[in-house]
Amino acid sequence: MVRRTWGAALAACVLIAACSKAPEAEAPKQTAEAPKHAEVAPVTVSAAPVSGVPVQAVQRYVLDDTEVRTIHAPKLNRDYQLFVSLPPDYAQHPDRKYPVMFVTDANYGFPLIRSIARRLGDHGDGTEDFILVGLSYAVGDTPVYSRRRDYTPTNHGPSGLTSDMPGRPVLHGEAEAYLESIKNDVFPVIATNYRADMSRAIYVGHSYGGLLGYEILLHDPGMFSHYVLGSPSLQFDHGVEFTRMHEALANRKDLQANVLVILGGFETLSKDKSDRRFNTGTDMIGDNRRFVAELQAKHYPGLHVNLMTVPGEDHLTVFPMIITRGIEWALPGQRPPFNVTGG
């Protein structure tokens, strides 16, 4: 039986950009580590005395209604952790199935989405309740190493990078194998162990995670009913995803999916070099507008894709707004349907 043991801090998590301010999209920095193993129990530690105050027991913070499962991906020969958050009323409705949201970069995205969803849900009067599944990094790998390899479509990553895992070379380009693992290894675990409505699976990814979402959309769109793609890193490998789109859609007659692409208003170029919030070498808004426009030009009957920008946000700050808008769009519940504007 999986113990509910995972605690995480929401504050001070920074998702490092795949924009031109850095050579690539890096993993989110965080103040709380992901669990080392699903079976690690909460521990009690001693706090050092402060100003004469007696030492008191300090316990690890645990998120209610959450679980951690470690699964093996046999074709990748790696283990991954899944973070699972159940709706507050899950136990009270044993016959009810719930939509399920999957988020990449789970160490950062999982606790953030969980908190935003609880606030938006407003005890059933707001957005619809859902099961949340966080796709964490490979066990034993650093976040940077894991996401470079698993979220990118080709092995032609940015030049001049150094590995943050001594003795192991920088590695990119295993997105296809990773996506097969999500479908064949992750989905069965969720469908078997939880009351998940897999026909209403929602994908959420930011930066390299957004690029990975485009990969799924192009090559296996039926994996998810809705795609919330934040700041996709289309500049990777000199825009190779455009070529991959042309190849994947050359003979396709339809593509059934609902897609919302969201970027911060500063994720573009500006002549004002004094404002460091703007990108300095990559127009991510322009790239994604062109990508979305090419998708829309196919006039697929089943494809509904929109792009919006969030004024005042950059690649590092836009993710909470991506989550808020994405939940309102995909799971409006009792709220008025979200009107996608600002493209």
Side-chain angles (χ1 to χ4, degrees):
M1 179 177 180
V2 177
R3 301 179 184 176
R4 300 180 179 182
T5 62
W6 187 65
L10 292 181
C13 294
V14 179
L15 189 62
I16 301 227
C19 63
S20 55
K21 295 179 182 177
E24 64 163 334
E26 295 292 357
K29 295 180 180 178
Q30 52 197 32
T31 57
E33 291 186 354
K36 300 299 182 184
H37 192 279
E39 294 300 322
V40 177
V43 296
T44 301
V45 297
S46 296
V50 179
S51 301
V53 177
V55 174
Q56 299 179 350
V58 178
Q59 291 187 331
R60 185 175 298 169
Y61 178 65
V62 178
L63 296 174
D64 294 335
D65 302 315
T66 61
E67 300 177 352
V68 178
R69 291 178 178 265
T70 300
I71 66 167
H72 183 65
K75 288 189 176 181
L76 300 177
N77 195 28
R78 292 191 288 269
D79 292 337
Y80 289 86
Q81 288 189 320
L82 304 179
F83 307 160
V84 182
S85 176
L86 301 175
D89 64 348
Y90 186 84
Q92 284 70 48
H93 298 281
D95 298 325
R96 180 179 174 184
K97 283 195 169 185
Y98 294 83
V100 54
M101 179 177 289
F102 295 81
V103 60
T104 60
D105 291 305
N107 299 37
Y108 170 74
F110 178 83
L112 186 62
I113 292 179
R114 181 182 178 278
S115 291
I116 291 175
R118 298 268 173 127
R119 178 57 60 93
L120 290 175
D122 194 22
H123 305 291
D125 296 328
T127 55
E128 188 174 353
D129 287 337
F130 60 90
I131 296 170
L132 174 63
V133 179
L135 303 171
S136 190
Y137 310 112
V139 175
D141 288 353
T142 65
V144 170
Y145 196 91
S146 185
R147 72 194 307 271
R148 279 177 177 172
R149 176 193 59 219
D150 293 341
Y151 295 179
T152 56
T154 71
N155 60 4
H156 304 297
S159 61
L161 299 179
T162 58
S163 174
D164 66 343
M165 297 195 70
R168 297 175 63 180
V170 174
L171 190 61
H172 294 87
E174 294 190 13
E176 182 177 351
Y178 180 67
L179 295 179
E180 288 183 7
S181 178
I182 293 176
K183 188 172 185 177
N184 298 327
D185 305 323
V186 175
F187 278 13
V189 170
I190 301 304
T192 300
N193 292 282
Y194 304 97
R195 298 194 308 276
D197 182 356
M198 297 301 290
S199 69
R200 300 182 65 198
I202 301 160
Y203 176 90
V204 179
H206 178 251
S207 197
Y208 271 2
L211 178 64
L212 183 69
Y214 275 147
E215 275 290 295
I216 307 173
L217 177 67
L218 295 177
H219 296 98
D220 197 354
M223 279 184 64
F224 298 94
S225 64
H226 291 72
Y227 293 80
V228 181
L229 308 181
S231 309
S233 302
L234 287 174
Q235 75 276 13
F236 178 81
D237 191 7
H238 308 287
V240 70
E241 199 66 15
F242 285 92
T243 301
R244 295 177 66 81
M245 172 175 61
H246 300 155
E247 294 172 349
L249 304 183
N251 299 312
R252 182 177 283 277
K253 303 301 181 183
D254 196 7
L255 193 159
Q256 296 188 359
N258 302 288
V259 185
L260 179 60
V261 181
I262 306 177
L263 299 99
F266 288 113
E267 296 189 79
T268 187
L269 304 176
S270 173
K271 294 180 180 179
D272 183 5
K273 304 301 182 182
S274 65
D275 193 335
R276 299 181 62 185
R277 292 173 295 179
F278 284 103
N279 290 358
T280 56
T282 301
D283 183 3
M284 297 184 73
I285 293 178
D287 288 346
N288 279 275
R289 280 180 176 164
R290 182 160 66 94
F291 197 91
V292 167
E294 291 196 28
L295 286 174
Q296 292 172 331
K298 294 289 185 179
H299 301 292
Y300 291 134
L303 177 63
H304 306 281
V305 55
N306 289 282
L307 181 148
M308 66 174 293
T309 59
V310 183
E313 306 294 343
D314 59 31
H315 194 82
L316 302 179
T317 65
V318 71
F319 189 63
M321 292 301 298
I322 292 169
I323 297 310
T324 300
R325 296 293 179 245
I327 294 174
E328 291 176 325
W329 169 73
L331 298 165
Q334 301 299 316
R335 288 172 173 261
F338 175 64
N339 182 25
V340 179
T341 59

